[in-house]
Amino acid sequence: TTYYVAPTGSDTNPGTASAPWRTVQKALNALAAGQIALVRAGTYTENLVMTRAGTSAAPITIRNYPGERPVITAATGKTDNMPLQLGSGAAYLRIHGLTLQGATGPSTANIYAWGSAHDIDLAFLEVRNSARQGFFSDKTTARIQIRSSNFHDNGGLGPVQRDHNIYVEGSGHLIASSLIRNAPNGYG
């Protein structure tokens, strides 16, 4: 089953192509194993949190609508505002073709993986302009893949040499075929 998200939608809609949902968080909350949400172009100001799982044979997929590039910008109002958190329970998940940007706060990341998050595929992303980290995974996470993505211009507001485009802890992670550049206050 394929569902749709668009800036002109409503979360009370059924999520069809002609009546899409409005928020990506609605898709994260609603999709079951094997289901897909295609996100239409536009800017979505959200602090997404995923703590649900698909299965190894039927992952949950959030991806761009073909030929379009949706942008997830961190919402404001918290101490740390993050476009995407992958928390305990998040597993067998694919997130492809999005731009994630604008994380703010003293301990923040555009993508933050924590708890028991595992078996997550992040591909064809652009991750930019975080106040601290582009991607950060806690030591309790496992098997997160970052593939064919562009990480740039993350960091700059933390202590010298402490902001990074990608900071990986955990086990069994993979970073491949990605461009990682211009960490103004740290390392790629």
Side-chain angles (χ1 to χ4, degrees):
T1 304
T2 300
Y3 294 94
Y4 297 84
V5 178
T8 57
S10 169
D11 284 350
T12 60
N13 286 345
T16 62
S18 60
W21 293 323
R22 168 64 183 91
T23 66
V24 179
Q25 187 65 57
K26 171 67 175 182
L28 290 174
N29 294 344
L31 295 182
Q35 294 182 333
I36 299 169
L38 297 177
V39 183
R40 301 299 308 249
T43 299
Y44 300 82
T45 303
E46 300 185 58
N47 292 325
L48 303 173
V49 178
M50 181 60 159
T51 56
R52 300 174 52 251
T55 67
S56 60
I60 292 171
T61 301
I62 304 287
R63 66 172 302 248
N64 63 307
Y65 186 89
E68 298 183 7
R69 189 65 172 195
V71 176
I72 311 296
T73 297
T76 59
K78 296 181 177 180
T79 301
D80 291 308
N81 302 293
M82 297 180 232
L84 177 60
Q85 291 188 59
L86 305 166
S88 288
Y92 304 110
L93 173 68
R94 294 186 291 202
I95 298 180
H96 294 179
L98 307 177
T99 296
L100 297 129
Q101 67 181 19
T104 60
S107 181
T108 195
N110 279 326
I111 304 170
Y112 176 36
W114 51 272
S116 63
H118 65 90
D119 293 290
I120 297 169
D121 183 50
L122 305 170
F124 313 108
L125 303 177
E126 182 177 6
V127 181
R128 63 186 183 201
N129 303 324
S130 169
R132 299 296 310 274
Q133 318 301 327
F135 171 87
F136 184 94
S137 63
D138 284 340
K139 63 183 178 181
T140 54
T141 61
R143 297 176 304 281
I144 297 173
Q145 297 184 76
I146 296 172
R147 303 179 300 109
S148 303
S149 293
N150 181 2
F151 284 74
H152 65 92
D153 298 298
N154 292 292
L157 297 181
V160 174
Q161 305 301 325
R162 298 288 176 96
D163 296 340
H164 312 290
N165 279 311
I166 298 178
Y167 190 96
V168 178
E169 295 181 346
S171 63
H173 298 318
L174 169 73
I175 302 169
S177 304
S178 293
L179 179 60
I180 303 166
R181 61 188 168 85
N182 195 30
N185 193 27
Y187 302 96

